[in-house]
Amino acid sequence: EEARLHYAGFCNDVLWPLFHYVVSRMPATPHTPHRSGPQDPSRTLLGTRTCRPDIKTDLRSGFHAQWEAYQAVNGHFAAAVARVARPNDLVWVHDYHLMLLPGLLRARQPRLRIGWFLHTPFPSLEVFRTLPMRKEILSGLLAADLLGFHIYDYSRHFLHACTQLMGSELSLESRGIAWDMPLPAAGGGGGGG
């Protein structure tokens, strides 16, 4: 059930559509900005069912359970890697299924070299900010030593999301990201921020 909620639920019914600009299915939450004021947190923009009949995404049950499963599966991967990785090993992580993994690995083994590559578009800030757990995902990714995106526009979208949502300046320098704010220990950093 956890694997189903992670893969078929949060990954393929929340992240994949969002990263491909299908935002009409994003659940309304207290953290999602609304123009008309507070909304019923159990309501999704298309009701309580998504286009997949086997996955429900109302906030009180399905969406929250999917997010919990996503976190748990990323944690299982972190535990498995920690059992075999040695300091200074290179760990390469792929795709939106494991966006928390770099932060979880960094928290366990600070000397790992971690890379991550996204095989889908990274959406613009206007779309990405509709994801309630956007900061947790960005924090997880920022713990990597190297982030890869298919095209410059996707890296620019990522930088813009970090700048606006994480409260820090980022810049693209020599094909790398310079970030002036260290991650907190809980996000895989050294605890300096």
Side-chain angles (χ1 to χ4, degrees):
E1 180 65 5
E2 186 176 73
R4 184 184 71 79
L5 288 169
H6 166 264
Y7 184 76
F10 196 77
C11 291
N12 290 344
D13 218 36
V14 176
L15 293 176
W16 191 95
L18 182 76
F19 281 26
H20 290 86
Y21 294 87
V22 180
V23 294
S24 62
R25 293 183 3 222
M26 185 56 55
T29 72
H31 299 88
T32 304
H34 294 286
R35 293 178 189 213
S36 60
Q39 301 282 327
D40 175 1
S42 68
R43 183 174 128 331
T44 66
L45 298 177
L46 292 180
T48 59
R49 295 187 74 79
T50 67
C51 67
R52 290 182 46 112
D54 60 324
I55 305 292
K56 293 181 188 265
T57 58
D58 76 83
L59 183 62
R60 285 191 213 134
S61 59
F63 185 72
H64 184 68
Q66 290 172 3
W67 171 238
E68 287 182 348
Y70 186 82
Q71 294 174 89
V73 168
N74 274 255
H76 297 323
F77 272 88
V81 170
R83 285 193 293 272
V84 298
R86 298 181 310 263
N88 298 314
D89 277 356
L90 173 62
V91 177
W92 196 252
V93 182
H94 286 271
D95 230 357
Y96 59 93
H97 307 85
L98 298 171
M99 291 192 293
L100 302 177
L101 186 55
L104 296 171
L105 290 174
R106 182 73 60 215
R108 288 173 180 256
Q109 295 187 353
R111 292 178 44 209
L112 282 177
R113 294 176 298 149
I114 303 167
W116 178 84
F117 189 84
L118 182 62
H119 295 273
T120 66
F122 193 90
S124 67
L125 171 64
E126 294 77 14
V127 172
F128 186 72
R129 76 178 334 141
T130 66
L131 185 64
M133 54 287 306
R134 57 198 169 263
K135 287 186 178 182
E136 292 88 342
I137 287 174
L138 291 176
S139 290
L141 292 174
L142 286 168
D145 297 296
L146 178 67
L147 299 170
F149 300 91
H150 274 280
I151 61 174
Y152 174 77
D153 285 345
Y154 303 158
S155 61
R156 186 174 46 80
H157 291 166
F158 177 79
L159 289 171
H160 192 217
C162 290
T163 300
Q164 296 299 308
L165 300 173
M166 302 301 283
S168 180
E169 278 300 313
L170 286 103
S171 60
L172 196 60
E173 296 177 359
S174 301
R175 307 184 95 181
I177 295 176
W179 191 33
D180 70 1
M181 187 174 172
L183 288 172

